[in-house]
Amino acid sequence: MGSAALMGDPAATESPPVKASRFADVPALAALSAAWWAGVALVGPRGDFPLNDDWGYAPAVRALVDEGALRFTDWQSMPLITHVLWGWLFAAPAGFSHDALRLSTLVLGWLGVLAMYALLRQLKAPRFAAGVGAALLLVNPLYFGLAFSFMTDVPFTAVVIAASAAWLRAEQEESRGWLAVATLLALWATLNRQLGIALPMAWTLVSLLRHGPRSPRWFRDALVPAAIVIGALLVYQKVIEATVGLPTLYAYKTEELTLALGDLARGHGLRAPAGRSLMSLLYLGLFTLPLSATIFRALERGRLSRILPLLGACAGALLAGNGLDLPLTGNVWLDLGMGPRTAPGVVGPASPKIGIVFTTAAGLGAGFFVHALIRGAQRAGLRVDGESLRALPRQLWDGLRSRVPRVGEVPAWAWLFLLLAGAISFAPTSIVYGAFFDRYLLLQLPFAIALVWAACVPREARGPGRWVALAALVGAFAYSVAATHDYMGWQRARWEGVALLETRGVGRDQIRGGFEVDNRAPEAQFVSRPKAPYAVALAPLHDHETVAAIEVDAWLPAAVERVYVLRQPKRLRDEGASTP
């Protein structure tokens, strides 16, 4: 960008007027909607049973529907109130059921895909590129699979995407109305999960650099919304503590984060955030690879465009060759299937060659992603080569203060907002002690998609990249649908096995069925039943005899093909009963 453009000279920066139909985006939105609900129909969302951790969130909705009372379990460590109210809207008309809660998440998941399209269009992406970016979210196995649960991941991510798009539009149009919408959506997200404060925090920093601390616009458009969101969170916590009481685990992750930050301040505990950052780069590289392929020919070429993807692919192949192949962390994406597989019993893994292919592709995508970050910074006005490194602060200042970008470019302030929002929301999960699940990366995916697009020069990508992207999207969609179908299939079979035992007079406390089964109770207290005489398992267990085997309609190899209803022989049951 020239100096005139950086300083906001209208003659150098104004875009020519473009007449576009108000309904020009309808075909793309309709196609995305059709793909989403077709995938849902193929999977089949039916099943009045909990999935993953949502056994701990559903009782709050049940209490609100059945008793008109707000009552949380001790399981959650987030505010959850907007999540509960959204679920209540769907459960109240016909009575509580997990089917109603699943529908509530599927609706927000669908709206999140449409919001992703709107976010990319707000960043001047052409309709095809915006459609590819939104489809990347739709076909992602983490996003699509978790949309069939009442987990907070998908609803939270969807609202964050919508808030980000509203914030960009509010700034570009200098609209008070869109600023109010963005603030309300950020508040909605924050009263679901505390990480929602990343949005107002990122915007406050960007606006401070863009307008200066003495500007009334910084106070009005950034500081006030941030104060509203953070203040509402603090007030909510005090009100809940004084009335129904905070859940036992509410402050657990905050305490763990404080402990981890203290260790970092003393120079300890660097391995975990460094390892998680590299692992996240691989995942995000794989997930954004179709978009990278789409815009590759529209990127400014240079040595980096050849070296970084090649180095990434080599690093991925090297990791896979040493047994560090994807998936590297558990929970949702498991080999050629979807999880978590919490029931007893182990199902054999798929061919290790699949992991090598995934990991090499992830390394290639990670190279593209890093290249896109560098090019995106340059498109935003930041030149980070050796000759201009000293001028970086001035470039950043000028880029942030320029009001109108050239045709098709992402302004520096928008690029920095996306980068900071993604980084701030990722930092706590990368630092805090404890497990690091793949679903924690779901929030970073929309920011990664937007940042990849920001690397594109002001022209639409053409050539073979389009067909590569479409083929990859179709393949990812087929995998996500099939994996979610198989996951829902064995879950239904597991609960059918539980019902079979209960009809034969076996008490629930005598059945070991895994995480969701063992904890499905109105009070939702965390329990485990390792010595229960009956089991519903994914494979035969030692010292158990088979009562029934329930077939599963599995589509993928290495999937769960049947669920076993098991019991210990009477001799072992008598021995277990006599053991104190």
Side-chain angles (χ1 to χ4, degrees), residues 85-163:
L85 292 175
W86 179 257
W88 174 82
L89 287 176
F90 288 79
F96 174 85
S97 71
H98 287 278
D99 287 305
L101 299 186
R102 193 167 296 120
L103 177 61
S104 76
T105 310
L106 287 168
V107 169
L108 263 186
W110 163 57
L111 294 176
V113 171
L114 303 187
M116 188 73 234
Y117 180 88
L119 174 61
L120 291 170
R121 292 291 280 157
Q122 202 64 41
L123 294 171
K124 312 303 180 187
R127 283 185 287 275
F128 180 81
V132 170
L136 274 179
L137 186 69
L138 188 159
V139 305
N140 184 271
L142 306 182
Y143 189 86
F144 187 78
L146 284 167
F148 286 78
S149 73
F150 192 57
M151 299 283 285
T152 61
D153 304 82
V154 168
F156 177 68
T157 302
V159 176
V160 165
I161 296 170

Side-chain angles (χ1 to χ4, degrees), residues 481-503:
V481 168
T484 308
H485 168 273
D486 292 354
Y487 177 66
M488 293 294 293
W490 73 255
Q491 288 281 2
R492 291 190 198 96
R494 173 167 66 164
W495 287 98
E496 184 180 337
V498 172
L500 174 65
L501 290 176
E502 290 180 341
T503 57

Side-chain angles (χ1 to χ4, degrees), residues 292 295 299 308 366-378 415 448 451-456:
S292 300
I295 70 169
L299 290 175
L308 286 175
F368 275 125
F369 183 61
V370 173
H371 175 229
L373 287 179
I374 295 172
R375 290 304 188 202
Q378 293 174 346
W415 179 86
L451 288 168
V452 167
W453 164 251
C456 194

Side-chain angles (χ1 to χ4, degrees), residues 217-239:
R217 189 169 178 185
W218 175 68
F219 178 83
R220 182 193 69 213
D221 294 353
L223 207 57
V224 169
I228 290 173
V229 173
I230 297 174
L233 175 62
L234 296 175
V235 169
Y236 168 79
Q237 291 174 168
K238 290 295 183 182
V239 170

Side-chain angles (χ1 to χ4, degrees), residues 317-537:
L318 185 62
L319 287 172
N322 285 275
L324 297 174
D325 53 325
L326 291 177
L328 290 169
T329 183
N331 203 244
V332 178
W333 179 22
L334 303 175
D335 205 24
L336 264 186
M338 188 169 293
R341 290 178 180 168
T342 55
V346 178
V347 178
S351 170
K353 294 180 181 179
I354 298 296
I356 295 175
V357 173
F358 278 141
T359 310
T360 304
L364 177 67
F368 275 125
F369 183 61
V370 173
H371 175 229
L373 287 179
I374 295 172
R375 290 304 188 202
Q378 293 174 346
R379 298 307 301 165
L382 310 181
R383 300 293 171 182
V384 292
D385 53 79
E387 295 180 3
S388 62
L389 194 57
R390 283 185 240 172
L392 185 60
R394 180 63 187 177
Q395 294 170 33
L396 178 62
W397 178 257
D398 289 342
L400 286 169
R401 293 177 70 82
S402 75
R403 283 184 170 272
V404 187
R406 292 187 297 187
V407 180
E409 285 190 345
V410 175
W413 56 265
W415 179 86
L416 188 59
F417 168 66
L418 295 169
L419 183 68
L420 285 176
I424 293 172
S425 59
F426 174 70
T429 54
S430 70
I431 294 170
V432 71
Y433 295 133
F436 182 77
F437 296 136
D438 51 10
R439 58 187 173 85
Y440 295 168
L441 294 173
L442 196 55
L443 180 57
Q444 277 65 56
L445 180 57
F447 297 116
I449 293 171
L451 288 168
V452 167
W453 164 251
C456 194
V457 298
R459 66 176 182 271
E460 188 168 357
R462 298 189 182 279
R466 281 177 171 245
W467 300 108
V468 172
L470 289 175
L473 288 173
V474 170
F477 181 68
Y479 167 76
S480 293
V481 168
T484 308
H485 168 273
D486 292 354
Y487 177 66
M488 293 294 293
W490 73 255
Q491 288 281 2
R492 291 190 198 96
R494 173 167 66 164
W495 287 98
E496 184 180 337
V498 172
L500 174 65
L501 290 176
E502 290 180 341
T503 57
R504 297 185 179 185
V506 179
R508 182 169 293 175
D509 61 344
Q510 298 296 303
I511 303 172
R512 175 164 59 108
F515 192 60
E516 299 96 331
V517 172
D518 296 351
N519 288 283
R520 190 191 186 191
E523 65 277 7
Q525 299 294 325
F526 178 65
V527 297
S528 178
R529 303 189 180 104
K531 296 183 178 180
Y534 293 85
V536 180

